[in-house]
């Protein structure tokens, strides 16, 4: 099981050099192994999404180094970075971010189009992925015709399109009811267990975090706790009291 994500002393500042300069991440070091299912928890505004954007190479750190599957992200040109991102990482967001007026099937095909996959192969794989998330019957439906949970399942199929090693999910169940959130969570477990996907999940739910392999807690831009669970029970009540 090799290291797939390596952050060394990552600092993220916004408005650099301006009077309103803000330092949001203060020196994050983090290593994630292939196949790990990790959750990131912390209060609103603590820097979780900022960190996720850096891990997903959607944004660059102000200082520090980041190796994504051995690739030095700092050294990569922007064009290379978007290609690396498209192939190595699948994103799942709280608000689904599906392309409107475009069928579920086409939404899943899109990342493969950018990756230069042939039309026939795109279609074949998109059909297969919609089947995996049990959305075959809605393949020709538009996002606006789908429920929240159905949209999220299509979004997960899309995240899987280029068979990424890593899935980054920022509050993927945040807009769903408990039962639907459960379906989405089950899908992540399946992808982790059956396909060895490395999954990083941002969540406000201690219950959901407690079913992953590892919980990283962030507060005010620092990692304050990093715990491998190894099946051991954590005290959810204590956690709720602390208001994470
Ligand atoms: N592009 C940006 N420019 C300036 N400040 C930003 C930017 N993105 C985030 N921030 C600031 O960074 C801090 C952390 O934001 P972030 O979105 O990472 O928090 P979070 O932990 O994901 O919170 P939540 O749980 O509410 O999603 C906030 O104070 C936010 O205002
Ligand atoms: Mg956030």
């Amino acid at each position: 099981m090799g290291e797939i994500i390596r952050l060394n002393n990552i600092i993220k500042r916004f408005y650099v050099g301006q009077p309103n300069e803000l330092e949001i991440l203060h020196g994050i070091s983090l290593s994630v192994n292939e196949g790990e299912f990790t959750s990131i928890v912390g209060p609103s505004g603590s820097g979780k999404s900022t960190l996720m954007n850096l891990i997903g190479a959607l944004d660059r750190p102000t200082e520090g180094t980041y190796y994504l599957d051995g690739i030095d992200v700092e050294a990569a040109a922007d064009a290379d970075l978007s290609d690396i991102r498209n192939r190595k990482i699948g994103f799942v967001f709280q608000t689904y971010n599906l392309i409107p007026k475009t069928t579920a099937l086409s939404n899943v095909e899109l990342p493969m189009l950018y990756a230069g996959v042939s039309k026939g192969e795109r279609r074949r794989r998109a059909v297969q992925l919609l089947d995996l998330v049990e959305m075959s019957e809605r393949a020709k439906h538009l996002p606006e015709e789908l429920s929240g949970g159905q949209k999220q399942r299509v979004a997960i199929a899309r995240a899987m399109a280029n068979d990424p090693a890593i899935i980054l999910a920022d509050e993927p169940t945040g807009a769903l009811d408990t039962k639907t959130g459960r379906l989405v969570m089950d899908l992540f477990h399946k992808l982790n267990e059956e396909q060895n996907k490395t999954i990083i999940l941002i969540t406000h739910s201690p219950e959901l975090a407690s079913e992953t392999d590892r919980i990283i807690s962030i507060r005010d831009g620092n990692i304050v706790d990093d715990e491998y669970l190894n099946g051991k029970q954590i005290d959810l009540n204590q956690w709720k009291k602390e208001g994470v």
Side-chain angles (χ1 to χ4, degrees):
M1 213 170 65
E3 186 180 61
I4 191 158
I5 288 167
R6 174 86 213 169
L7 308 181
N8 293 315
N9 269 309
I10 294 289
I11 291 175
K12 181 63 187 179
R13 298 190 188 100
F14 292 106
Y15 318 116
V16 173
Q18 296 172 49
N20 56 346
E21 182 172 310
L22 264 180
E23 187 173 296
I24 299 299
L25 300 177
H26 308 299
I28 301 266
S29 294
L30 173 65
S31 164
V32 176
N33 282 330
E34 205 170 354
E36 260 177 28
F37 191 169
T38 301
S39 45
I40 297 180
V41 302
S44 182
S46 56
K48 303 181 300 295
S49 296
T50 302
L51 177 62
M52 192 70 107
N53 289 341
L54 295 176
I55 293 174
L58 290 167
D59 199 1
R60 291 174 185 268
T62 312
E63 285 178 29
T65 54
Y66 174 28
Y67 289 89
L68 170 58
D69 207 6
I71 298 162
D72 182 350
V73 169
E74 194 187 5
D78 284 345
D80 294 335
L81 205 55
S82 58
D83 189 53
I84 293 165
R85 191 193 309 131
N86 191 36
R87 287 168 198 276
K88 299 230 180 256
I89 299 176
F91 294 93
V92 181
F93 302 97
Q94 178 172 358
T95 50
Y96 326 116
N97 296 15
L98 296 175
I99 312 288
K101 314 284 178 216
T102 307
T103 64
L105 191 65
S106 299
N107 264 280
V108 178
E109 286 182 14
L110 205 58
M112 294 184 267
L113 177 69
Y114 296 140
V117 177
S118 72
K119 195 165 186 241
E121 177 61 16
R122 290 201 302 266
R123 179 56 53 96
R124 191 193 66 77
R125 182 153 168 82
V127 165
Q128 194 181 49
L129 284 167
L130 284 176
D131 187 45
L132 179 80
V133 300
E134 295 177 31
M135 283 296 294
S136 301
E137 283 171 18
R138 295 285 186 274
K140 294 289 167 65
H141 285 234
L142 299 175
E144 67 194 37
E145 299 164 344
L146 301 173
S147 72
Q150 289 172 335
K151 281 194 270 249
Q152 199 58 302
R153 281 186 279 155
V154 172
I156 292 170
R158 178 184 58 181
M160 290 287 292
N162 290 322
D163 196 23
I166 304 166
I167 293 175
L168 300 181
D170 194 345
E171 287 278 347
T173 64
L176 305 175
D177 60 47
T178 311
K179 188 160 155 267
T180 314
R182 180 73 263 157
L183 287 177
V184 165
M185 205 54 194
D186 288 345
L187 206 45
F188 285 129
H189 280 294
K190 180 165 146 171
L191 296 174
N192 175 242
E193 283 157 25
E194 295 176 7
Q195 301 194 33
N196 199 38
K197 297 298 178 197
T198 306
I199 301 180
I200 302 184
L201 167 79
I202 294 180
T203 180
H204 278 106
S205 160
E207 283 85 3
L208 295 186
S210 71
E211 51 182 85
T212 66
D213 301 329
R214 175 185 184 185
I215 303 179
I216 294 171
S217 304
I218 299 198
R219 253 168 224 261
D220 298 329
N222 292 301
I223 293 180
V224 293
D225 200 13
D226 184 351
E227 187 177 18
Y228 280 90
L229 297 176
N230 299 321
K232 105 176 112 109
Q233 253 339 87
I234 54 160
D235 183 354
L236 296 179
N237 289 323
Q238 181 58 35
W239 199 354
K240 278 175 192 156
K241 261 183 263 159
E242 287 175 11
V244 167

mmCIF file of all heavy atoms in Angstrom, residues 14-15 22 24 42-51 170-171 202 204, ligand 1:
data_model
loop_
_atom_site.group_PDB
_atom_site.id
_atom_site.type_symbol
_atom_site.label_atom_id
_atom_site.label_comp_id
_atom_site.label_asym_id
_atom_site.label_seq_id
_atom_site.Cartn_x
_atom_site.Cartn_y
_atom_site.Cartn_z
ATOM 1 N N PHE A 14 -4.791 33.789 1.218
ATOM 2 C CA PHE A 14 -5.551 34.487 0.173
ATOM 3 C C PHE A 14 -5.174 35.967 0.211
ATOM 4 O O PHE A 14 -4.698 36.463 1.215
ATOM 5 C CB PHE A 14 -7.054 34.315 0.393
ATOM 6 C CG PHE A 14 -7.528 32.892 0.183
ATOM 7 C CD1 PHE A 14 -7.877 32.089 1.257
ATOM 8 C CD2 PHE A 14 -7.600 32.349 -1.094
ATOM 9 C CE1 PHE A 14 -8.306 30.775 1.072
ATOM 10 C CE2 PHE A 14 -8.034 31.031 -1.295
ATOM 11 C CZ PHE A 14 -8.385 30.251 -0.214
ATOM 12 N N TYR A 15 -5.399 36.667 -0.879
ATOM 13 C CA TYR A 15 -5.073 38.104 -1.022
ATOM 14 C C TYR A 15 -3.616 38.379 -0.650
ATOM 15 O O TYR A 15 -3.317 39.331 0.084
ATOM 16 C CB TYR A 15 -5.997 38.972 -0.151
ATOM 17 C CG TYR A 15 -7.438 38.561 -0.149
ATOM 18 C CD1 TYR A 15 -8.054 38.108 1.026
ATOM 19 C CD2 TYR A 15 -8.205 38.629 -1.308
ATOM 20 C CE1 TYR A 15 -9.382 37.742 1.047
ATOM 21 C CE2 TYR A 15 -9.548 38.265 -1.296
ATOM 22 C CZ TYR A 15 -10.127 37.813 -0.120
ATOM 23 O OH TYR A 15 -11.443 37.448 -0.092
ATOM 24 N N LEU A 22 -4.906 36.977 4.180
ATOM 25 C CA LEU A 22 -5.473 36.043 5.162
ATOM 26 C C LEU A 22 -4.705 34.727 5.084
ATOM 27 O O LEU A 22 -4.567 34.176 3.991
ATOM 28 C CB LEU A 22 -6.911 35.698 4.742
ATOM 29 C CG LEU A 22 -8.104 36.407 5.305
ATOM 30 C CD1 LEU A 22 -9.368 35.833 4.681
ATOM 31 C CD2 LEU A 22 -8.140 36.274 6.816
ATOM 32 N N ILE A 24 -5.043 30.945 5.880
ATOM 33 C CA ILE A 24 -6.134 30.018 6.224
ATOM 34 C C ILE A 24 -5.597 28.658 6.670
ATOM 35 O O ILE A 24 -6.103 28.062 7.614
ATOM 36 C CB ILE A 24 -7.089 29.856 5.010
ATOM 37 C CG1 ILE A 24 -7.716 31.203 4.641
ATOM 38 C CG2 ILE A 24 -8.163 28.810 5.293
ATOM 39 C CD1 ILE A 24 -8.562 31.838 5.722
ATOM 40 N N GLY A 42 -14.283 19.073 11.211
ATOM 41 C CA GLY A 42 -13.876 20.337 11.821
ATOM 42 C C GLY A 42 -14.976 21.351 11.678
ATOM 43 O O GLY A 42 -15.845 21.218 10.812
ATOM 44 N N PRO A 43 -14.951 22.387 12.503
ATOM 45 C CA PRO A 43 -16.001 23.402 12.464
ATOM 46 C C PRO A 43 -16.050 24.137 11.128
ATOM 47 O O PRO A 43 -15.067 24.135 10.380
ATOM 48 C CB PRO A 43 -15.603 24.373 13.580
ATOM 49 C CG PRO A 43 -14.584 23.683 14.402
ATOM 50 C CD PRO A 43 -13.930 22.667 13.526
ATOM 51 N N SER A 44 -17.170 24.766 10.864
ATOM 52 C CA SER A 44 -17.332 25.587 9.671
ATOM 53 C C SER A 44 -16.267 26.685 9.662
ATOM 54 O O SER A 44 -16.017 27.314 10.689
ATOM 55 C CB SER A 44 -18.735 26.194 9.687
ATOM 56 O OG SER A 44 -18.921 26.949 8.529
ATOM 57 N N GLY A 45 -15.629 26.843 8.521
ATOM 58 C CA GLY A 45 -14.617 27.885 8.391
ATOM 59 C C GLY A 45 -13.226 27.465 8.834
ATOM 60 O O GLY A 45 -12.291 28.264 8.791
ATOM 61 N N SER A 46 -13.058 26.206 9.217
ATOM 62 C CA SER A 46 -11.750 25.759 9.730
ATOM 63 C C SER A 46 -10.729 25.483 8.622
ATOM 64 O O SER A 46 -9.546 25.323 8.900
ATOM 65 C CB SER A 46 -11.922 24.513 10.609
ATOM 66 O OG SER A 46 -12.569 23.485 9.908
ATOM 67 N N GLY A 47 -11.212 25.403 7.378
ATOM 68 C CA GLY A 47 -10.279 25.228 6.260
ATOM 69 C C GLY A 47 -10.379 23.891 5.541
ATOM 70 O O GLY A 47 -9.525 23.560 4.721
ATOM 71 N N LYS A 48 -11.429 23.130 5.796
ATOM 72 C CA LYS A 48 -11.576 21.796 5.198
ATOM 73 C C LYS A 48 -11.652 21.858 3.673
ATOM 74 O O LYS A 48 -10.944 21.132 2.976
ATOM 75 C CB LYS A 48 -12.834 21.090 5.750
ATOM 76 C CG LYS A 48 -12.851 20.946 7.259
ATOM 77 C CD LYS A 48 -14.091 20.229 7.748
ATOM 78 C CE LYS A 48 -15.410 20.915 7.406
ATOM 79 N NZ LYS A 48 -15.590 22.240 8.061
ATOM 80 N N SER A 49 -12.540 22.711 3.170
ATOM 81 C CA SER A 49 -12.695 22.787 1.707
ATOM 82 C C SER A 49 -11.452 23.392 1.056
ATOM 83 O O SER A 49 -11.064 22.984 -0.041
ATOM 84 C CB SER A 49 -13.936 23.604 1.338
ATOM 85 O OG SER A 49 -15.102 22.955 1.791
ATOM 86 N N THR A 50 -10.839 24.325 1.747
ATOM 87 C CA THR A 50 -9.590 24.912 1.234
ATOM 88 C C THR A 50 -8.540 23.816 1.083
ATOM 89 O O THR A 50 -7.853 23.727 0.051
ATOM 90 C CB THR A 50 -9.089 26.010 2.199
ATOM 91 O OG1 THR A 50 -10.123 26.997 2.339
ATOM 92 C CG2 THR A 50 -7.825 26.662 1.703
ATOM 93 N N LEU A 51 -8.442 22.952 2.079
ATOM 94 C CA LEU A 51 -7.498 21.835 2.023
ATOM 95 C C LEU A 51 -7.867 20.867 0.907
ATOM 96 O O LEU A 51 -7.005 20.412 0.142
ATOM 97 C CB LEU A 51 -7.472 21.113 3.378
ATOM 98 C CG LEU A 51 -6.585 19.869 3.462
ATOM 99 C CD1 LEU A 51 -5.120 20.228 3.217
ATOM 100 C CD2 LEU A 51 -6.743 19.190 4.827
ATOM 101 N N ASP A 170 -16.716 16.405 -0.775
ATOM 102 C CA ASP A 170 -16.896 17.511 0.168
ATOM 103 C C ASP A 170 -18.368 17.566 0.580
ATOM 104 O O ASP A 170 -19.210 18.021 -0.192
ATOM 105 C CB ASP A 170 -16.446 18.817 -0.490
ATOM 106 C CG ASP A 170 -16.284 19.955 0.518
ATOM 107 O OD1 ASP A 170 -16.788 19.833 1.654
ATOM 108 O OD2 ASP A 170 -15.662 20.974 0.152
ATOM 109 N N GLU A 171 -18.682 17.079 1.758
ATOM 110 C CA GLU A 171 -20.054 17.047 2.284
ATOM 111 C C GLU A 171 -21.043 16.403 1.305
ATOM 112 O O GLU A 171 -22.101 16.985 1.029
ATOM 113 C CB GLU A 171 -20.520 18.482 2.598
ATOM 114 C CG GLU A 171 -19.886 19.075 3.820
ATOM 115 C CD GLU A 171 -20.567 18.636 5.117
ATOM 116 O OE1 GLU A 171 -21.674 18.072 5.057
ATOM 117 O OE2 GLU A 171 -19.974 18.841 6.170
ATOM 118 N N ILE A 202 -15.142 14.830 3.447
ATOM 119 C CA ILE A 202 -15.383 15.892 4.423
ATOM 120 C C ILE A 202 -16.806 15.726 4.926
ATOM 121 O O ILE A 202 -17.733 15.598 4.127
ATOM 122 C CB ILE A 202 -15.230 17.286 3.793
ATOM 123 C CG1 ILE A 202 -13.786 17.540 3.373
ATOM 124 C CG2 ILE A 202 -15.688 18.372 4.763
ATOM 125 C CD1 ILE A 202 -13.571 18.904 2.736
ATOM 126 N N HIS A 204 -19.692 16.700 8.367
ATOM 127 C CA HIS A 204 -20.020 17.241 9.688
ATOM 128 C C HIS A 204 -20.649 16.165 10.560
ATOM 129 O O HIS A 204 -20.999 16.428 11.695
ATOM 130 C CB HIS A 204 -20.988 18.427 9.563
ATOM 131 C CG HIS A 204 -20.311 19.717 9.234
ATOM 132 N ND1 HIS A 204 -20.363 20.300 7.988
ATOM 133 C CD2 HIS A 204 -19.525 20.531 9.984
ATOM 134 C CE1 HIS A 204 -19.657 21.413 8.001
ATOM 135 N NE2 HIS A 204 -19.138 21.574 9.189
HETATM 136 N N1 LIG B 1 -11.108 32.018 -2.217
HETATM 137 C C1 LIG B 1 -11.074 32.493 -0.966
HETATM 138 N N2 LIG B 1 -10.702 33.766 -0.728
HETATM 139 C C2 LIG B 1 -10.647 34.239 0.520
HETATM 140 N N3 LIG B 1 -10.943 33.550 1.622
HETATM 141 C C3 LIG B 1 -11.315 32.286 1.456
HETATM 142 C C4 LIG B 1 -11.406 31.690 0.159
HETATM 143 N N4 LIG B 1 -11.801 30.395 0.300
HETATM 144 C C5 LIG B 1 -11.985 30.213 1.621
HETATM 145 N N5 LIG B 1 -11.682 31.327 2.317
HETATM 146 C C6 LIG B 1 -11.731 31.495 3.779
HETATM 147 O O1 LIG B 1 -11.045 30.399 4.360
HETATM 148 C C7 LIG B 1 -11.680 29.987 5.559
HETATM 149 C C8 LIG B 1 -11.922 28.493 5.477
HETATM 150 O O2 LIG B 1 -12.904 28.231 4.480
HETATM 151 P P1 LIG B 1 -13.301 26.765 4.049
HETATM 152 O O3 LIG B 1 -14.286 26.889 2.967
HETATM 153 O O4 LIG B 1 -12.067 25.995 3.776
HETATM 154 O O5 LIG B 1 -13.965 26.224 5.391
HETATM 155 P P2 LIG B 1 -14.681 24.823 5.675
HETATM 156 O O6 LIG B 1 -13.949 24.187 6.799
HETATM 157 O O7 LIG B 1 -14.813 24.058 4.426
HETATM 158 O O8 LIG B 1 -16.106 25.293 6.215
HETATM 159 P P3 LIG B 1 -17.575 24.639 5.963
HETATM 160 O O9 LIG B 1 -17.688 23.515 6.940
HETATM 161 O O10 LIG B 1 -18.498 25.773 6.315
HETATM 162 O O11 LIG B 1 -17.675 24.219 4.537
HETATM 163 C C9 LIG B 1 -12.939 30.814 5.700
HETATM 164 O O12 LIG B 1 -12.686 31.834 6.629
HETATM 165 C C10 LIG B 1 -13.153 31.387 4.321
HETATM 166 O O13 LIG B 1 -13.763 32.632 4.385
#
